[in-house]
Amino acid sequence: MDPGDWPGVLGAGLLPAPDGSCQGVVLRYDLFGGRGPAMVIGNLPEGSPARDVPEGEAPFEVGQLLAALEIDEDVRVTSTEDVPVMLDDNLLIVRRLTCTEQRVSCVQFDRSDGVLVTIASWDRPISEDLYRLLKPLPAEMFRR
């Protein structure tokens, strides 16, 4: 994702493993001018412990979004729905997650290289146009 594509502030963090490999890349997008993020985008490869979330619990990215907004609330996933989305000539199956905190929007999809992408947004719906702006992180980032 090119930071120039987005107004506001875009930051990134890595989730390192003890062996030096990358267990995930988390992007934090602050549209609110320093008052908290509007969106957290996680890119978690297969085997990342951050992917291991018990059923009904919110994804790692939702927790990060709420922590950054200083919201100390137990948010759970109440339902999921698979939605097909056409991107150019490719079909993308997006899982829309409904959370107990209704101001959180959350979607997930799998990349062809096994990376799980999760987008958690605060007080803004996630539209199909957003998927077109996302540029895949290179697979080499997740190797040692």
Side-chain angles (χ1 to χ4, degrees):
M1 175 166 22
D2 179 359
D5 289 345
W6 301 76
V9 178
L10 180 67
L14 299 176
L15 300 173
D19 68 357
S21 64
C22 177
Q23 294 295 312
V25 177
V26 179
L27 304 172
R28 177 179 155 164
Y29 175 60
D30 181 355
L31 178 66
F32 301 133
R35 295 185 315 242
M39 191 179 312
V40 171
I41 304 170
N43 298 268
L44 305 176
E46 291 175 334
S48 174
R51 287 176 71 151
D52 296 332
V53 178
E55 190 168 331
E57 299 241 346
F60 170 78
E61 295 79 1
V62 170
Q64 293 297 302
L65 178 68
L66 295 173
L69 291 167
E70 298 178 355
I71 296 173
D72 186 25
E73 185 176 321
D74 182 30
V75 174
R76 303 194 50 80
V77 173
T78 57
S79 67
T80 62
E81 176 188 12
D82 288 346
V83 178
V85 174
M86 285 302 293
L87 285 179
D88 301 320
D89 292 334
N90 299 311
L91 178 64
L92 181 66
I93 303 298
V94 175
R95 281 180 302 283
R96 292 192 181 278
L97 287 70
T98 303
C99 295
T100 53
E101 169 54 72
Q102 294 182 2
R103 293 174 289 181
V104 171
S105 295
C106 186
V107 297
Q108 294 181 316
F109 57 89
D110 294 303
R111 292 186 358 185
S112 60
D113 61 358
V115 173
L116 174 66
V117 177
T118 302
I119 305 168
S121 175
W122 179 253
D123 209 22
R124 290 186 172 357
I126 298 171
S127 70
E128 292 181 13
D129 293 338
L130 175 64
Y131 309 132
R132 284 177 175 58
L133 293 174
L134 299 176
K135 295 175 179 61
L137 299 174
E140 299 83 51
M141 287 187 76
F142 302 103
R143 295 196 186 106
R144 201 164 168 219

